[in-house]
């Protein structure tokens, strides 16, 4: 019996060491890619002439639009507010010289995709950034207390990813190259109490993305899901930035270093470290009443103090 227990403990110890080694290698790759920038600059441009970005009027979507234009791609900006899109388009054209197309579309509806398909016709789309999304409430709240716009959230956070991917993936497959970046959230990595709908909708994006990557990797297409934590945007009420909370521009520039690192990434090194720390919290503690009280009190207070609410 003693020999059996000894073998069990040795096996468990080796498994723990292996897991730690894998995490160390992963963090080492992040450090290398972040500081050495080994991704060739023409790589993104080699995917195709055009990049399509949803939710491009603000925040992360706007930052991707500018950064991809700076790296030599023409960009298609899709969002709800035409005035914002036109202003962003003028600035991109003036600062980068890239061509810009704008498409006005409200992703909380599901009858917009035929129009988008028609306006994308004839473009060599090399990159799709599925960024558009909605967060019902920045402050944690119980499901029945959250704003009653469930269908809009599903259309915006779930339907948009499926439909936009469907529009461009067929052409990427025929060209045997392309890059799809799906912007999920750190709250998708495991179910978050008090953010139940948002967490679940973003978890769909994770599962969908990784399944698609398995299907289309052999066809030369990169499909990557990004799971960032705090990024200071309109959706997060422009939270004060710090070592964890990034500006949209910081997050986007760093995330593009990691497009070849694998099918899932937090998008920046600080968020990878945070995700690693959160993964150590036992499930019983994470889903306890005490943790929910912590979210409703301390975390809510932090958000209220740091959100600028422009």
């Amino acid at each position: 019996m003693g020999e059996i227990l000894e073998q069990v403990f040795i096996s468990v110890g080796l498994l723990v060491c292996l897991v730690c080694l894998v995490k160390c290698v992963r963090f080492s790759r992040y450090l290398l890619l972040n500081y050495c920038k080994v991704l060739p600059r023409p790589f993104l441009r080699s995917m195709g002439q055009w990049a399509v970005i949803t939710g491009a009027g603000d925040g992360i979507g706007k930052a991707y639009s500018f950064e991809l234009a700076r790296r030599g791609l023409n960009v298609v900006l899709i969002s709800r507010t035409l005035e914002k899109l036109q202003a962003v388009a003028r600035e991109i054209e003036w600062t980068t010289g890239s061509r810009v197309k704008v498409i006005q579309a409200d992703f909380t509806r599901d009858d917009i995709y035929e129009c988008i398909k028609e306006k994308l016709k004839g473009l060599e789309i090399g990159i799709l950034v599925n960024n558009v999304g909605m967060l019902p409430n920045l402050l944690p709240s119980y499901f029945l207390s959250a704003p009653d716009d469930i269908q809009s959230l599903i259309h915006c956070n779930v339907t948009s990813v499926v439909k936009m991917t469907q529009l461009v993936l067929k052409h990427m497959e025929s060209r045997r190259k392309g890059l799809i970046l799906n912007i999920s959230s750190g709250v998708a990595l495991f179910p978050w109490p008090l953010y139940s709908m948002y967490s679940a909708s973003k978890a769909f994006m994770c599962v969908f993305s990784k399944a698609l990557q398995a299907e289309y990797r052999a066809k030369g297409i990169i499909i990557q899901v990004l799971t960032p934590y705090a990024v200071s945007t309109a959706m997060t009420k422009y939270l004060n930035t710090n070592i964890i909370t990034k500006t949209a521009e910081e997050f986007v520039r760093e995330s593009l270093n990691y497009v070849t690192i694998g099918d899932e990434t937090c998008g920046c090194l600080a968020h990878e470290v945070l995700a690693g720390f959160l993964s150590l919290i036992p499930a019983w503690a994470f889903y306890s009443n005490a943790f929910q009280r912590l979210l409703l009190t301390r975390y809510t207070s932090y958000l209220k103090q740091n959100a600028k609410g422009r």
Side-chain angles (χ1 to χ4, degrees):
M1 184 66 179
E3 291 181 359
I4 294 174
L5 284 175
E6 184 180 353
Q7 290 299 318
V8 169
F9 286 133
I10 291 173
S11 299
V12 171
L14 289 173
L15 181 61
V16 170
C17 290
L18 180 61
V19 170
C20 291
L21 179 61
V22 168
K23 287 188 176 183
C24 288
V25 170
R26 182 175 174 85
F27 283 128
S28 297
R29 291 182 67 201
Y30 270 91
L31 287 169
L32 176 66
L33 290 169
N34 185 38
Y35 294 110
C36 297
K37 295 180 174 59
V38 297
L39 184 70
R41 185 172 178 82
F43 176 83
L44 296 173
R45 178 63 184 81
S46 71
M47 294 290 102
Q49 295 181 4
W50 289 85
V52 176
I53 304 98
T54 66
D58 265 317
I60 292 175
K62 179 180 176 181
Y64 270 112
S65 302
F66 271 93
E67 191 61 31
L68 291 173
R70 289 189 191 101
R71 299 192 186 202
L73 287 102
N74 301 317
V75 290
V76 180
L77 315 180
I78 311 179
S79 193
R80 178 170 56 184
T81 308
L82 184 60
E83 293 76 14
K84 281 186 179 180
L85 288 176
Q86 291 172 334
V88 172
R90 286 193 295 269
E91 190 175 352
I92 289 175
E93 289 175 333
W94 184 73
T95 57
T96 70
S98 294
R99 295 169 60 194
V100 183
K101 289 174 65 74
V102 300
I103 301 175
Q104 184 182 21
D106 182 355
F107 285 100
T108 62
R109 299 167 51 182
D110 65 352
D111 59 352
I112 59 174
Y113 296 99
E114 280 302 317
C115 177
I116 293 174
K117 179 180 178 180
E118 193 63 31
K119 292 184 178 181
L120 293 180
K121 191 174 292 184
L123 300 182
E124 184 189 72
I125 298 170
I127 299 176
L128 168 64
V129 182
N130 279 314
N131 163 74
V132 70
M134 62 182 291
L135 173 63
N137 193 355
L138 177 63
L139 302 179
S141 60
Y142 289 102
F143 173 67
L144 293 178
S145 302
D148 188 20
D149 50 4
I150 292 173
Q151 196 59 59
S152 295
L153 182 142
I154 292 172
H155 284 324
C156 193
N157 293 7
V158 176
T159 307
S160 67
V161 181
V162 177
K163 290 288 192 179
M164 289 302 302
T165 300
Q166 189 178 40
L167 287 182
V168 305
L169 187 56
K170 182 177 181 180
H171 301 290
M172 289 181 174
E173 182 184 23
S174 65
R175 294 170 51 241
R176 299 193 68 81
K177 60 181 175 180
L179 170 64
I180 298 176
L181 300 176
N182 292 329
I183 314 303
S184 179
S185 169
V187 300
L189 298 177
F190 38 87
W192 272 72
L194 306 178
Y195 288 100
S196 54
M197 278 299 298
Y198 184 71
S199 176
S201 67
K202 291 299 186 175
F204 169 86
M205 186 183 285
C206 281
V207 175
F208 178 67
S209 301
K210 288 189 277 190
L212 279 186
Q213 178 64 120
E215 292 179 23
Y216 288 93
R217 180 185 290 110
K219 299 182 180 182
I221 299 167
I222 299 172
I223 301 170
Q224 184 182 77
V225 61
L226 292 95
T227 55
Y229 284 92
V231 179
S232 181
T233 65
M235 190 168 74
T236 58
K237 308 299 182 186
Y238 295 100
L239 284 170
N240 292 327
T241 56
N242 51 44
I243 193 170
I244 296 295
T245 304
K246 303 294 184 179
T247 67
E249 292 75 19
E250 288 172 339
F251 170 75
V252 166
R253 280 196 298 269
E254 187 173 346
S255 73
L256 288 174
N257 293 330
Y258 307 138
V259 295
T260 60
I261 205 169
D263 58 6
E264 180 185 322
T265 171
C266 287
C268 69
L269 182 60
H271 292 185
E272 279 293 331
V273 173
L274 177 59
F277 171 76
L278 291 174
S279 70
L280 300 176
I281 300 176
W284 62 264
F286 196 81
Y287 301 124
S288 66
N289 289 332
F291 182 77
Q292 292 182 49
R293 285 196 297 272
L294 184 67
L295 286 178
L296 288 169
T297 55
R298 299 286 183 85
Y299 186 61
T300 295
S301 177
Y302 167 81
L303 292 175
K304 287 180 177 179
Q305 289 174 10
N306 286 273
K308 297 176 183 175
R310 294 178 190 172

